[in-house]
Amino acid sequence: MGKDTDVLIMARRFTIITLFAAIFAFSFSAAVTHNAGSGAQSHFGANYTCVDRTNPICTSVN
């Protein structure tokens, strides 16, 4: 095999892996979005309970 053939094989494999990664990312984000918004207060993905109600982050907590 020549060097050009090796580069084409690598490019094809990279393309396939990238497409699978994109499909996974879209399906994962759809699953997360579908299950989001159910209750707990969240800030950048971290669930927390506000102790200091004067904190600007805690103003929207009921």
Side-chain angles (χ1 to χ4, degrees):
M1 287 187 161
K3 190 172 185 177
D4 292 337
T5 306
D6 291 342
V7 171
L8 289 175
I9 291 171
M10 292 292 287
R12 187 181 311 139
R13 288 179 183 172
F14 181 73
T15 302
I16 292 169
I17 291 170
T18 304
L19 289 174
F20 276 119
I23 291 169
F24 173 76
F26 281 122
S27 59
F28 185 75
S29 67
V32 169
T33 303
H34 180 68
N35 294 329
S38 59
Q41 178 70 25
S42 177
H43 183 69
F44 297 110
N47 292 331
Y48 62 90
T49 303
C50 285
V51 178
D52 181 14
R53 295 282 183 181
T54 61
N55 189 339
I57 295 173
C58 297
T59 57
S60 63
V61 176
N62 295 328

